[in-house]
Amino acid sequence: MNTSDLKNLNVAIVGAGYGGAAAAKALSLLGANVTVYEQATQTGEVGAGIGLRPATMARFRQWGIFDAIAEVTSPSDYFEILTATGEPIMKDTWPEFGEETKTHLIHRRDFIHALLGVLPEGMVHLGHRLESVEDKGDRSVLTFANGETVEADLVVGADGIKSVVRQQLFSDKGPVFSGEHAYRAVISADDAYGMVVDDNLRMYIGKGTKVYLLPLRHRNQVSFDITALCPDSTWAPNITKDDLVKTVEGFDERIVNIARNLDMDTVSIRAVYDIDPVDTWHSDSVVLLGDAAHSMLHHQGQGANSAIEDAGALADALAQTGSVKEALASYQATRKPVTDELQRISRQGWTEDELDDVFPGQKPAAQEA
C-alpha cells in the first residue's frame, strides 16, 4: 500500500498483550492511525519468565525499540536439557538470526510494560471488553461492553486464546486441554540453592514433569516453572504445596527444596490449553494474530515470539501489497504454515509411557495426532 493509503488507514487492535502491542508499534511506524482496545482496567502480565529469540530481537531492532526491551533482560547464549538429577542430555546455542545470536530472558510483566511504554500516549484504551464484531466487508464495527462502538478499516484480533473475534468470525471451537498443569513462580536467585550460575535456560526432565530454571539476573531472580501431567482440566486448579512438591519427587534435591520453600500465594497455577489450527485467519477487513490465531503449548517456548513475528509479518504485508485484502491473504500465507507446525510439535511434549501413567489407556485431546 502507498504512503497516503497507509496514513488514511484506521486500525483497531483488540487486545494489548504481546501481539497487540507489537502490532500497534509496527503498524503505527507505517503511518497508520492505530488504536488499541484492552478489556483490563490496568496493564500488567502475571506469570514468570520467557525467552525472546534472536529473530524477535531483530524485529525490535528494526522497529527502533531494541534498547527499551534489552535493558530489562538477561541475554542468554545457550539452553541446556538435563535429566531430573542433573545429567546432561543436550546443550545447544540459540538459532541465530542475522547479527542476533542471543535469546533475551525477560519477566512477562517487564516485557509488556516495555512494549506498551514505546507506544504513543493515548493509543491504548483500557476497560474495553469486546462484545461483538460486525464484518461489513471493507470495514468492520466493534461493540464494547461499555457501550462504545468503533468502526475501522482493519480490525486486528489479538485477544488471546479465548478470542471473541475468532469465535464470532472464524471458528467456534474452544480451547483444548493439554492434560498438564503449569506452576510458575519468580524467586530470588539467592533462594535457588546455587542452581543459577549464569544467564542460560535449563530444563530438567523427569517422568511426567519438566522443571525450567530461567535466570532473570538483571532482577537477581529466577523463574522457576514446573509443567506436570495432570487430568484436572479446571482453568485455575486448586493445588496444595504437597501436590506441587510431589511433582518433583526424584529430582535434584535442590529443586525439591525450591519447591518446598515456595510461597503458594506467589505461585501461578494454571491448567494448560491450546487451540486446534484455525483454517482461516482473515476476512477482507479483520485478521487474527498471536494466541487468537494459533495459541500453542509452551514446550517450544514460541508463544510470545510467534505473536511478535505475526506483528512484523502483518506490517510487512501491508507495506508490500496494494490493499488490505491482499495484505491479509499474504500475511496468512506467510505465517500460518509456520505456526501450524509449531502448534503440532509443541503438542509432542511427553512420551507414551509418561502419558499412560496419568491417562491409562487414553490420551488428552491435545496429545492426539
Side-chain angles (χ1 to χ4, degrees):
M1 296 174 67
N2 61 44
T3 302
S4 62
D5 286 341
L6 287 168
K7 287 188 174 179
N8 289 322
L9 188 68
N10 290 315
V11 180
I13 297 175
V14 183
Y18 311 138
K25 184 63 182 179
L27 300 187
S28 63
L29 287 172
L30 296 179
N33 177 28
V34 179
T35 309
V36 183
Y37 299 93
E38 166 59 41
Q39 67 176 351
T41 55
Q42 59 183 12
T43 59
E45 175 75 22
V46 297
I50 56 175
L52 302 176
R53 300 293 179 87
T56 302
M57 297 306 294
R59 279 294 185 186
F60 294 149
R61 196 178 291 282
Q62 175 191 352
W63 298 338
I65 63 173
F66 181 95
D67 291 343
I69 306 296
E71 69 181 7
V72 288
T73 71
S74 294
S76 167
D77 294 313
Y78 63 86
F79 63 95
E80 193 169 10
I81 301 175
L82 308 101
T83 68
T85 52
E87 290 78 32
I89 297 174
M90 69 165 289
K91 176 178 174 180
D92 205 354
T93 55
W94 300 101
E96 297 182 5
F97 191 90
E99 296 181 0
E100 306 298 336
T101 61
K102 297 180 185 294
T103 282
H104 288 246
L105 308 181
I106 189 170
H107 191 285
R108 293 170 187 265
R109 184 180 295 110
D110 293 345
F111 183 32
I112 196 62
H113 283 171
L115 275 177
L116 294 174
V118 300
L119 299 181
E121 190 171 346
M123 181 177 283
V124 179
H125 294 225
L126 301 177
H128 283 67
R129 181 171 62 81
L130 183 66
E131 283 199 336
S132 68
V133 52
E134 184 182 0
D135 187 341
K136 295 189 172 184
D138 62 345
R139 67 195 192 287
S140 291
V141 177
L142 303 174
T143 302
F144 297 95
N146 61 10
E148 187 173 345
T149 61
V150 172
E151 186 171 281
D153 304 310
L154 172 61
V155 168
V156 179
D159 49 341
I161 188 171
K162 297 181 180 180
S163 170
V164 173
V165 179
R166 182 185 72 240
Q167 190 274 330
Q168 291 193 5
L169 295 183
F170 301 108
S171 172
D172 60 2
K173 292 196 295 184
V176 179
F177 178 50
S178 67
E180 58 200 37
H181 286 180
Y183 313 131
R184 299 179 172 120
V186 175
I187 62 172
S188 169
D190 300 331
D191 295 330
Y193 291 86
M195 297 197 79
V196 180
V197 295
D198 54 29
D199 292 325
N200 298 303
L201 171 66
R202 289 179 174 84
M203 179 174 73
Y204 297 78
I205 300 177
K207 197 165 184 61
T209 298
K210 297 179 174 69
V211 176
Y212 303 82
L213 284 169
L214 186 148
L216 301 166
R217 285 218 294 172
H218 56 288
R219 282 171 157 244
N220 192 39
Q221 291 179 324
V222 58
S223 179
F224 179 72
D225 299 9
I226 299 171
T227 300
L229 286 167
C230 186
D232 182 1
S233 62
T234 309
W235 276 91
N238 183 21
I239 299 297
T240 68
K241 171 74 72 69
D242 288 344
D243 294 331
L244 190 147
V245 171
K246 189 174 181 180
T247 66
V248 293
E249 281 182 357
F251 277 71
D252 185 308
E253 191 60 28
R254 295 172 296 175
I255 290 174
V256 178
N257 285 333
I258 293 172
R260 222 177 252 132
N261 292 333
L262 289 174
D263 176 357
M264 293 301 287
D265 289 338
T266 69
V267 180
S268 169
I269 300 171
R270 293 290 183 268
V272 182
Y273 283 77
D274 68 355
I275 62 173
D276 291 326
V278 178
D279 292 339
T280 302
W281 290 2
H282 70 91
S283 64
D284 290 353
S285 61
V286 183
V287 68
L288 299 175
L289 180 148
D291 279 356
H294 49 66
S295 180
M296 60 189 68
L297 303 185
H298 59 279
H299 300 301
Q300 299 296 315
Q302 288 286 13
N305 289 284
S306 293
I308 307 304
E309 293 279 7
D310 287 352
L314 179 59
D316 290 347
L318 285 165
Q320 294 166 6
T321 58
S323 67
V324 170
K325 180 179 179 179
E326 292 175 70
L328 301 189
S330 174
Y331 157 73
Q332 176 174 313
T334 299
R335 291 296 299 152
K336 183 168 162 54
V338 177
T339 60
D340 281 354
E341 179 64 5
L342 284 172
Q343 285 181 293
R344 186 189 68 80
I345 62 175
S346 294
R347 283 184 168 181
Q348 297 177 343
W350 310 99
T351 67
E352 292 293 327
D353 286 346
E354 288 172 326
L355 286 171
D356 199 51
D357 273 357
V358 181
F359 300 91
Q362 60 177 317
K363 288 184 180 181
Q367 302 289 342
E368 295 287 354

